[in-house]
Protein backbone atom coordinates (compact mmCIF):
# COMPACT_ATOMS: atom_id res chain seq x y z
CA UNK A 1 0.00 0.00 0.00
CA UNK A 2 0.88 3.66 -0.21
CA UNK A 3 3.32 4.82 2.46
CA UNK A 4 3.52 8.29 3.95
CA UNK A 5 6.31 9.18 6.34
CA UNK A 6 6.63 12.14 8.69
CA UNK A 7 9.75 13.50 10.33
CA UNK A 8 10.46 14.17 13.10
CA UNK A 9 8.09 11.97 15.09
CA UNK A 10 8.75 13.99 18.24
CA UNK A 11 10.20 17.44 18.70
CA UNK A 12 10.64 19.65 21.73
CA UNK A 13 11.46 23.30 21.25
CA UNK A 14 11.66 26.53 23.18
CA UNK A 15 8.97 29.15 22.94
CA UNK A 16 9.67 31.61 20.12
CA UNK A 17 11.57 29.22 17.89
CA UNK A 18 10.39 27.72 14.60
CA UNK A 19 9.94 24.05 13.88
CA UNK A 20 9.70 22.30 10.50
CA UNK A 21 7.86 19.02 10.01
CA UNK A 22 8.27 17.03 6.82
CA UNK A 23 5.74 14.79 5.14
CA UNK A 24 6.90 12.46 2.38
CA UNK A 25 5.04 10.05 0.15
CA UNK A 26 7.53 7.21 -0.22
CA UNK A 27 6.14 5.12 -3.04
CA UNK A 28 3.72 7.35 -4.88
CA UNK A 29 3.35 10.90 -6.12
CA UNK A 30 0.92 13.13 -4.31
CA UNK A 31 -0.34 16.33 -5.88
CA UNK A 32 -2.39 16.97 -2.77
CA UNK A 33 -1.42 16.59 0.86
CA UNK A 34 -3.37 17.58 3.94
CA UNK A 35 -2.19 18.77 7.31
CA UNK A 36 -4.22 17.99 10.42
CA UNK A 37 -3.90 18.87 14.05
CA UNK A 38 -5.16 16.45 16.64
CA UNK A 39 -6.21 17.73 20.04
CA UNK A 40 -6.44 15.41 23.06
CA UNK A 41 -9.74 13.50 23.08
CA UNK A 42 -10.87 15.33 19.97
CA UNK A 43 -10.96 14.65 16.30
CA UNK A 44 -8.55 15.65 13.63
CA UNK A 45 -8.86 19.26 12.63
CA UNK A 46 -7.98 19.98 9.03
CA UNK A 47 -5.55 22.88 8.98
CA UNK A 48 -4.75 23.24 5.32
CA UNK A 49 -4.61 21.58 1.94
CA UNK A 50 -1.24 21.58 0.29
CA UNK A 51 -1.11 21.51 -3.51
CA UNK A 52 2.13 20.84 -5.33
CA UNK A 53 3.45 23.95 -7.01
CA UNK A 54 0.85 26.33 -5.63
CA UNK A 55 -0.14 28.05 -2.42
CA UNK A 56 -1.75 26.08 0.33
CA UNK A 57 -5.44 26.51 1.08
CA UNK A 58 -6.01 27.18 4.76
CA UNK A 59 -9.12 26.37 6.74
CA UNK A 60 -10.97 29.11 8.52
CA UNK A 61 -9.31 30.14 11.75
CA UNK A 62 -5.87 28.78 10.88
CA UNK A 63 -3.15 31.45 10.78
CA UNK A 64 -1.32 31.09 7.49
CA UNK A 65 1.57 33.23 8.68
CA UNK A 66 2.08 31.02 11.68
CA UNK A 67 1.70 27.66 9.97
CA UNK A 68 3.71 27.89 6.77
CA UNK A 69 3.13 25.11 4.28
CA UNK A 70 5.31 24.35 1.30
CA UNK A 71 4.69 21.61 -1.27
CA UNK A 72 7.71 21.93 -3.49
CA UNK A 73 7.62 18.48 -5.07
CA UNK A 74 5.21 15.64 -5.72
CA UNK A 75 6.59 13.69 -2.77
CA UNK A 76 7.27 16.31 -0.10
CA UNK A 77 5.25 18.81 1.86
CA UNK A 78 6.54 20.73 4.87
CA UNK A 79 4.77 22.44 7.74
CA UNK A 80 6.71 25.11 9.60
CA UNK A 81 5.34 26.33 12.92
CA UNK A 82 6.80 29.80 13.27
CA UNK A 83 7.45 31.50 16.60
CA UNK A 84 6.00 28.51 18.42
CA UNK A 85 4.21 28.94 21.74
CA UNK A 86 3.07 26.37 24.30
CA UNK A 87 -0.48 26.48 22.91
CA UNK A 88 0.91 25.16 19.62
CA UNK A 89 1.89 21.94 21.35
CA UNK A 90 -0.08 19.21 19.63
CA UNK A 91 0.03 16.14 17.44
CA UNK A 92 0.33 17.11 13.77
CA UNK A 93 -0.57 14.56 11.12
CA UNK A 94 -0.22 14.74 7.36
CA UNK A 95 -2.01 12.72 4.75
CA UNK A 96 -1.79 12.36 1.01
CA UNK A 97 -3.83 11.30 -1.97
CA UNK A 98 -2.09 9.55 -4.85
CA UNK A 99 -1.96 11.61 -8.00
CA UNK A 100 -2.62 8.68 -10.30
CA UNK A 101 -5.74 6.63 -10.60
CA UNK A 102 -9.29 7.03 -9.37
CA UNK A 103 -9.79 8.12 -5.81
CA UNK A 104 -12.69 7.56 -3.48
CA UNK A 105 -11.43 9.94 -0.87
CA UNK A 106 -9.20 7.41 0.89
CA UNK A 107 -6.29 9.08 2.58
CA UNK A 108 -2.88 7.70 3.47
CA UNK A 109 -1.54 9.05 6.73
CA UNK A 110 1.87 9.71 8.14
CA UNK A 111 2.78 8.52 11.61
CA UNK A 112 2.26 11.95 13.10
CA UNK A 113 4.62 14.43 14.78
CA UNK A 114 4.31 15.29 18.45
CA UNK A 115 5.33 18.93 19.03
CA UNK A 116 6.00 20.13 22.57
CA UNK A 117 6.76 23.80 23.05
CA UNK A 118 8.31 24.68 26.40
CA UNK B 1 -21.81 21.22 5.64
CA UNK B 2 -20.66 17.65 6.05
CA UNK B 3 -20.45 16.22 9.54
CA UNK B 4 -19.86 12.92 11.30
CA UNK B 5 -21.15 11.98 14.72
CA UNK B 6 -19.87 8.96 16.56
CA UNK B 7 -20.46 7.63 20.02
CA UNK B 8 -18.49 9.00 22.90
CA UNK B 9 -15.90 6.80 24.45
CA UNK B 10 -14.06 5.30 26.01
CA UNK B 11 -15.54 1.89 25.45
CA UNK B 12 -14.18 -0.87 27.67
CA UNK B 13 -14.88 -4.48 26.76
CA UNK B 14 -13.68 -7.87 27.84
CA UNK B 15 -11.86 -10.01 25.33
CA UNK B 16 -14.23 -11.89 22.96
CA UNK B 17 -17.09 -9.46 23.60
CA UNK B 18 -19.20 -8.03 20.78
CA UNK B 19 -18.35 -4.51 19.66
CA UNK B 20 -20.55 -1.83 18.15
CA UNK B 21 -19.42 1.74 17.63
CA UNK B 22 -22.19 3.93 16.25
CA UNK B 23 -21.60 6.46 13.52
CA UNK B 24 -24.04 8.72 11.71
CA UNK B 25 -23.35 11.34 9.11
CA UNK B 26 -24.72 14.38 7.33
CA UNK B 27 -23.53 15.02 3.82
CA UNK B 28 -24.47 16.38 0.46
CA UNK B 29 -24.29 14.11 -2.53
CA UNK B 30 -23.06 10.55 -2.26
CA UNK B 31 -20.02 10.37 -0.01
CA UNK B 32 -17.70 7.47 0.61
CA UNK B 33 -17.57 6.29 4.20
CA UNK B 34 -14.54 5.09 6.12
CA UNK B 35 -13.40 3.74 9.43
CA UNK B 36 -9.84 4.62 10.38
CA UNK B 37 -7.97 3.16 13.33
CA UNK B 38 -5.21 4.78 15.36
CA UNK B 39 -3.11 2.49 17.51
CA UNK B 40 -1.23 4.04 20.45
CA UNK B 41 1.61 6.27 19.32
CA UNK B 42 0.86 5.80 15.63
CA UNK B 43 -0.85 7.66 12.82
CA UNK B 44 -4.18 6.68 11.33
CA UNK B 45 -4.66 3.76 8.99
CA UNK B 46 -7.65 2.76 6.96
CA UNK B 47 -9.61 -0.10 8.51
CA UNK B 48 -12.44 -0.42 6.01
CA UNK B 49 -14.50 1.60 3.58
CA UNK B 50 -17.74 1.63 1.60
CA UNK B 51 -18.32 3.76 -1.45
CA UNK B 52 -22.05 3.47 -2.05
CA UNK B 53 -25.31 2.67 -0.31
CA UNK B 54 -25.73 -0.91 0.97
CA UNK B 55 -22.03 -1.66 0.51
CA UNK B 56 -20.44 -3.55 3.37
CA UNK B 57 -16.83 -2.86 4.19
CA UNK B 58 -14.92 -5.51 6.11
CA UNK B 59 -11.39 -6.12 7.36
CA UNK B 60 -9.74 -7.99 10.24
CA UNK B 61 -13.12 -9.21 11.49
CA UNK B 62 -14.58 -5.69 11.56
CA UNK B 63 -17.46 -4.74 9.32
CA UNK B 64 -19.72 -1.78 8.63
CA UNK B 65 -22.64 -1.31 6.24
CA UNK B 66 -23.39 1.95 4.43
CA UNK B 67 -27.03 2.68 5.31
CA UNK B 68 -28.33 5.63 3.32
CA UNK B 69 -31.82 5.48 4.79
CA UNK B 70 -30.52 5.94 8.33
CA UNK B 71 -27.33 7.83 7.30
CA UNK B 72 -25.31 5.43 9.40
CA UNK B 73 -22.11 3.41 9.16
CA UNK B 74 -21.85 1.53 12.45
CA UNK B 75 -18.70 -0.49 13.13
CA UNK B 76 -19.08 -4.02 14.45
CA UNK B 77 -16.90 -6.93 15.44
CA UNK B 78 -18.14 -10.21 16.81
CA UNK B 79 -15.23 -10.98 19.13
CA UNK B 80 -12.71 -8.32 20.10
CA UNK B 81 -9.13 -8.97 21.09
CA UNK B 82 -6.74 -7.04 23.30
CA UNK B 83 -4.85 -6.05 20.16
CA UNK B 84 -7.95 -4.19 18.94
CA UNK B 85 -7.43 -1.56 21.63
CA UNK B 86 -7.14 1.71 19.72
CA UNK B 87 -9.03 4.84 18.75
CA UNK B 88 -11.52 4.40 15.92
CA UNK B 89 -12.53 7.29 13.67
CA UNK B 90 -15.55 7.32 11.41
CA UNK B 91 -15.10 9.55 8.38
CA UNK B 92 -16.70 10.57 5.14
CA UNK B 93 -15.09 11.66 1.93
CA UNK B 94 -16.87 13.77 -0.60
CA UNK B 95 -15.69 13.67 -4.16
CA UNK B 96 -16.38 16.21 -6.84
CA UNK B 97 -12.82 17.16 -7.57
CA UNK B 98 -11.81 17.96 -4.01
CA UNK B 99 -11.17 15.05 -1.72
CA UNK B 100 -11.88 16.57 1.63
CA UNK B 101 -12.44 14.09 4.43
CA UNK B 102 -14.48 14.89 7.51
CA UNK B 103 -13.74 12.94 10.68
CA UNK B 104 -15.78 12.11 13.73
CA UNK B 105 -14.36 12.76 17.18
CA UNK B 106 -12.99 9.25 17.58
CA UNK B 107 -13.97 6.49 20.00
CA UNK B 108 -11.35 4.94 22.22
CA UNK B 109 -11.70 1.20 22.64
CA UNK B 110 -9.98 -0.64 25.45
CA UNK B 111 -10.15 -4.42 25.50
CA UNK B 112 -9.17 -6.12 28.73
CA UNK B 113 -8.10 -9.76 29.04
Amino acid sequence: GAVVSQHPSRVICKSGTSVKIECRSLDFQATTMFWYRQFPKKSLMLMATSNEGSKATYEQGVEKDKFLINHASLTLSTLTVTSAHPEDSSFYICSAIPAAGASTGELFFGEGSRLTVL
Amino acid sequence: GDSVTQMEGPVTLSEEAFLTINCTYTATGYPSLFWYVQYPGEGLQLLLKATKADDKGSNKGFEATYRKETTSFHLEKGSVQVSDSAVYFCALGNSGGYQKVTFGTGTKLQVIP
Side-chain angles (χ1 to χ4, degrees):
Chain A
V3 179
V4 176
S5 179
Q6 275 183 247
H7 177 79
S9 57
R10 294 179 185 273
V11 56
I12 300 173
C13 69
K14 293 182 179 180
S15 186
T17 61
S18 295
V19 174
K20 180 185 285 187
I21 300 170
E22 294 185 345
C23 177
R24 293 182 184 274
S25 55
L26 298 185
D27 53 1
F28 66 98
Q29 293 184 329
T31 52
T32 304
M33 291 184 172
F34 301 92
W35 285 96
Y36 294 84
R37 184 173 176 178
Q38 186 176 25
F39 294 93
K41 299 184 179 181
K42 292 194 176 182
S43 187
L44 282 73
M45 181 192 80
L46 179 65
M47 299 174 65
T49 302
S50 171
N51 297 298
E52 187 266 336
S54 65
K55 291 184 178 180
T57 303
Y58 290 82
E59 296 299 305
Q60 193 172 13
V62 177
E63 299 176 62
K64 58 184 68 176
D65 293 332
K66 181 167 189 61
F67 298 100
L68 300 179
I69 291 173
N70 183 275
H71 194 154
S73 77
L74 286 170
T75 59
L76 174 65
S77 176
T78 60
L79 168 68
T80 302
V81 183
T82 62
S83 186
H85 291 283
E87 58 266 28
D88 298 324
S89 299
S90 192
F91 195 57
Y92 293 89
I93 304 177
C94 73
S95 68
I97 292 178
S103 175
T104 57
E106 179 180 350
L107 297 173
F108 298 95
F109 285 85
E111 313 93 325
S113 299
R114 172 76 60 191
L115 170 63
T116 303
V117 184
L118 302 177
Chain B
D2 298 344
S3 67
V4 176
T5 303
Q6 60 182 107
M7 60 189 291
E8 293 267 343
V11 174
T12 302
L13 295 174
S14 297
E15 207 165 18
E16 298 183 2
F18 185 85
L19 168 71
T20 300
I21 300 178
N22 290 335
C23 172
T24 57
Y25 68 91
T26 303
T28 55
Y30 302 95
S32 297
L33 300 175
F34 307 89
W35 277 100
Y36 283 89
V37 58
Q38 184 179 31
Y39 297 103
E42 299 182 13
L44 278 72
Q45 53 187 276
L46 181 67
L47 178 61
L48 54 85
K49 66 179 180 183
T51 58
K52 61 183 188 298
D54 300 325
D55 268 4
K56 177 186 282 188
S58 61
N59 185 27
K60 299 181 181 179
F62 291 90
E63 56 182 38
T65 301
Y66 189 145
R67 301 282 189 203
K68 196 170 189 299
E69 64 276 14
T70 54
T71 62
S72 64
F73 193 54
H74 305 320
L75 182 68
E76 297 182 335
K77 186 174 185 181
S79 176
V80 293
Q81 305 300 313
V82 173
S83 57
D84 294 326
S85 299
V87 181
Y88 293 82
F89 291 91
C90 185
L92 70 84
N94 239 325
S95 58
Y98 184 70
Q99 301 291 358
K100 186 173 178 179
V101 177
T102 302
F103 288 88
T105 52
T107 302
K108 184 175 182 179
L109 169 66
Q110 184 174 12
V111 181
I112 54 178

